[in-house]
Amino acid sequence: ALGLFTGIGLSEAKARETLRNGTLSALLRRAVLQARSALGPTLDKATGTLLYNAASRLKDPKHLGFLVGYIARREILTDLQLSAALEYVRSHPLEPLDVADFERACGVGVCITPEQIEEAVEAVISKHRAELLAERYHFNMGLLMGEARNQLRWADGKTIKNEVDLQVLHLLGPKTEADLEKKPKVAKARLAPAEKQKVAVVENGDMGAETQSLLEQLRGEALKFHKPGENYKTEGYVVTPNTMALLKQHLAITGGQVRTRFPPEPNGILHIGHAKAINFNFGYAKANGGVCFLRYDDTNPEKEEEKYFTAIREMVEWLGYQPYAVTHASDYFDQLYTWALELIRRGQAYVCHQKVEEIKGHNPPPSPWRDRPVEESVLLFEDMRKGKFGEGEATLRMKLVMEDGKMDPVAYRVKFTPHHRTGDKWCIYPTYDYTHCLCDSIEHITHSLCTKEFQARRSSYFWLCNALDVYCPVQWEYGRLNLLYTVVSKRKIIRLVETGAVRDWDDPRLFTLTALRRRGFPPEAINNFCARVGVTVAQATMEPHLLEACAREVLNEQAPRAMAVLEPLKVTITNFPAPKALEVLVPNFPADESRGFHKVPFHQTVYIEETDFREEADKGYKRLAPGQPVGLRHTGYVVTVQNVIKDVSGRVIELEVTCTKSDVAEKPKAFIHWVSAPLACEVRLYERLFLHKNPEDPSEVPGGFLSDLNPDSLRVVHNALVDSSVHSARPFDKFQFERLGYFSVDPDSEQGKMVFNRTVTLKEDPGKA
C-alpha cells in the first residue's frame, strides 16, 4: 500500500499518514486500482492528486467509483472541476444521478481555447486600464485574475495568470524602482467607545447595521452550517427516499428562512451558560435574517414551576431578544402521542417493564419485551395512557442504539403528576430524546443548536424523524460556557439556598442571570462577554474577571457619576464661605459634559471616607492629614486640618478644617470625594462565593463545594451615605460612585433607606487570583 500511494505522487510521509487513517486509505486504494485498470500501472502526479482529493473529500463513498471513472477518462482534469463534482454529488444524494446535468455542472467536455483566454483578459484589463496606469504594479492583480476566471469558469488558472502577466507587462512595461517599493499600510479606523456599545443589544428579526457583537460570535463551527433546505449536505445526515420531498415541503412552509429555537427546561433559573445559548440561537437567526422560537421543554411536571417560566422569558427579553413565538413542548402532546402509536405500528418501539434501576447506565441487560408483538405494545401503551400502570411499571422504548452505546432509550414514562398547562389530561409524559427532535420538526427548525453533551443524542434525533417520515432538522453541537469560582447546577444552587449560603436564585454572588441583573451587570456586558468567548466545539471555561471587564466597559458609558461614603468621617468647615448651603454642579459623565450635570448641596458639614484621613502622613500618602491639605472634588475648595476630635477611646470622630478657594491655594496632592446633607443607605460589597477555581473538583476541594464557601463573600455596610442626587433612583438603576466602583440599586430598597449592590470595582483587583 505504501508503494501504491507513493506511486501516485504522495511523499512517503504523506503516504504513511494516509495509511494511519483506515477509512481514507481503503478509499484511496480503491480509487488508485480502478484508475490503473483504465490507464495502466503508471499514473501521473496530476491524476494522483485528483484521486487523493476525491477519496479524502468525498462525503458519501458510494459515488467514488463514479468520480474515479471521470478522472480516469480524462473528463475531470482540474481540481476546480473535481470541486464542482463533489459539490454536485453532495447536493444530489438520491440515486440515480442525472449524468447530463452532472457533466454540465462540472464542465465535462468544455474546451477553452487560448484565443478565448486572451480575449477575456484583454476585456478585463481594458475595464481597469485607468486604475492600472495610476497604480501600476501596486494594483491588485488578483482582481484581474478573478474577473477573467468568472468569464471562463473552466479555464486553466495558470494559463490565465500567464496571460494576465503578459498583457500587464505589455501595458506598463518593466517594473521600476517605485513599483518595487512596498505600498504603505492604511491604518484602520477604530471605533470610539460609545460606538462600540451601540452594537450590543439586538432584537430578533431586526436586520439593522448593529450586528457586530452577534457576527463576532459566528466564528468557527457556525461558518460550516448548511443553508436552509440543504440539510443533506451536513456530515452524518441520514438521507431516505422521502428526504428531498420533505425538504421541498419544508422550504415551501418557511420560504427558506433560518429558524432556531432556545429550548430551556422550566425547572430553574437561567445562568451565564444559558446566556451563550440565547446569544447564539437568537444571534445566528438574526444575523441570517431568520427567527428564533422560545420553546419551553415542559415534559417533567414534577420539577416545573410557573415562576421559572416567567423568569426565563424575562431574562431572554432582558438580554435584548424578542422571541418570534413562545411555544411549549406540551403544545404538541396530542401529536406526539399519535406519532408514538405510529412508531409502535412501524415496529420501531415497544412497551417494556424493566425497572428504572435495571435500564440505567450504558450497558443495561437487553429487554425481554423488545420483540413483543406490535398489537400488544399498542394496547399496552394505550393502557399506560389510561393510567392502568403505576409509575415505573411500564415505559415505551425506541428500538435504536445511540452513539454512546446506550440501547433503546425511553420515549414515554408514567407520572401521576398534574401538568401546569394540561392539568390531569395526561399521566404519561414524553422524554427529551423523544420530544426534542419532533418539536423541532413541527416548528420547522433549520438549525437545532445545542451543547456538546447532546452529541450522543444526534443519532436518535435523526433516527426518530426518519423512522416517522417527518421533516428532519440538523442538530449542531458547540462547547459549553463555564465560569470559574462558581457552580451553575440547579441541584447545587438549591443546596446553597437550603443551607443559607445564599438568599435565593438571584443572590448577587451567583452567576444566574437574575443574580447578575440584581448585582448590576448590564445585559450588553453579558452579550459582549458571550461574543468575545465566541462559538467553538471546545468547552470554554472563563475567569469571572473577563465578564467584569465587559461590565466596566459598558458601565463607564452608561452609569452616571455620584458620590458616596462607605465609612463616614464628619468634617466641619469652620470658615464656610456662605451663610447657607451652596449648590455644586457635578457632571454626570466628566469625560463628556454635554451629557449633563446634577446638583449636590455643599454645607458647612461634610462627610469623607475614614481612610481619606491619617493623623500622620506616611511617605507616598497623598490624602488629608495635618499639614497636608486636599481638594474637595467639584467644589473649587481646598481644605486644611485645624483640629482633630476624638472619642474617649481615642478614635477620630470629627475634623475641623478651614477652606480656601483652589484658584488661590497651592495645588493639593489629591482631590477626594465627599457628601453633604446625604441620604443614609445600605451598601453590599461582594467577593467570590467560593475560595477555589473549581469548587466541584474533588481533587481541588475534597470536602465538596459546600466546604469551599468564602466567609467574606458578602460585607454589608449599614450606615453608608450617598449624595442626594440619587434620591429618585429605582431598582436596577446604575451609578458610578466616584473612586469606589459601579453600584446598582437593589430591589430591597425602601422609602428612606436605599440599598446598593457593588457590581464591580473601578479597576480589576490585581490581588485576586
Side-chain angles (χ1 to χ4, degrees), residues 621-623 627-633 636-640 660-672:
Y621 182 76
K622 295 181 179 180
R623 283 165 279 173
Q628 182 168 290
V630 295
L632 295 180
R633 287 175 66 79
Y637 284 94
V638 173
V639 295
T640 305
T660 310
K661 272 199 158 292
S662 53
D663 54 3
V664 297
E666 186 178 334
K667 186 179 178 182
K669 291 183 178 180
F671 288 82
I672 63 173

Side-chain angles (χ1 to χ4, degrees), residues 269-481:
I269 299 294
L270 302 183
H271 56 70
I272 189 68
H274 291 112
K276 177 178 177 178
I278 292 168
N279 269 274
F280 194 24
N281 275 289
F282 283 90
Y284 185 76
K286 187 255 181 230
N288 290 281
V291 296
C292 183
F293 291 72
L294 168 58
R295 186 204 309 141
Y296 294 109
D297 181 22
D298 57 342
T299 57
N300 190 354
E302 290 173 337
K303 297 182 179 180
E304 294 157 7
E305 294 182 41
E306 188 58 40
K307 69 176 182 179
Y308 297 137
F309 287 86
T310 305
I312 287 169
R313 180 164 186 176
E314 197 175 300
M315 288 300 99
V316 168
E317 293 178 349
W318 176 64
L319 287 178
Y321 298 105
Q322 287 298 324
Y324 169 71
V326 178
T327 59
H328 302 72
S330 57
D331 295 339
Y332 311 121
F333 276 179
D334 288 308
Q335 177 64 70
L336 294 173
Y337 178 73
T338 301
W339 274 339
L341 288 169
E342 178 63 21
L343 199 64
I344 299 170
R345 292 187 184 106
R346 293 185 178 208
Q348 302 286 13
Y350 62 97
V351 172
C352 175
H353 304 291
Q354 285 177 296
K355 303 298 181 188
V356 175
E357 297 74 27
E358 290 181 72
I359 58 176
K360 270 187 178 178
H362 291 302
N363 295 301
S367 171
W369 292 279
R370 196 173 200 266
D371 297 318
R372 77 190 324 161
V374 165
E375 297 76 14
E376 188 179 323
S377 277
V378 168
L379 292 172
L380 290 170
F381 186 54
E382 288 174 344
D383 285 345
M384 286 172 62
R385 164 81 173 85
K386 293 171 186 173
K388 293 183 179 179
F389 288 101
E391 292 190 15
E393 290 181 1
T395 58
L396 181 70
R397 294 175 68 181
M398 299 177 279
K399 290 185 180 180
L400 80 147
V401 180
M402 298 172 75
E403 280 167 307
D404 61 358
K406 187 175 180 181
M407 189 170 180
D408 293 0
V410 172
Y412 271 86
R413 69 277 204 217
V414 176
K415 284 183 182 289
F416 291 103
T417 305
H419 191 276
H420 73 287
R421 297 185 77 241
T422 60
D424 293 324
K425 179 178 178 181
W426 299 93
C427 64
I428 55 169
Y429 293 99
T431 61
Y432 175 92
D433 288 322
Y434 178 78
T435 308
H436 189 73
C437 60
L438 296 180
C439 288
D440 281 353
S441 178
I442 292 168
E443 293 176 353
H444 283 273
I445 299 304
T446 58
H447 299 77
S448 181
L449 309 175
C450 58
T451 48
K452 284 290 284 183
E453 64 262 36
F454 292 99
Q455 186 167 343
R457 267 80 175 259
R458 193 199 292 186
S459 56
S460 67
Y461 188 106
F462 291 160
W463 177 89
L464 184 52
C465 290
N466 291 327
L468 288 166
D469 277 325
V470 297
Y471 160 69
C472 183
V474 178
Q475 175 175 304
W476 289 95
E477 303 91 11
Y478 60 92
R480 286 180 62 151
L481 169 60

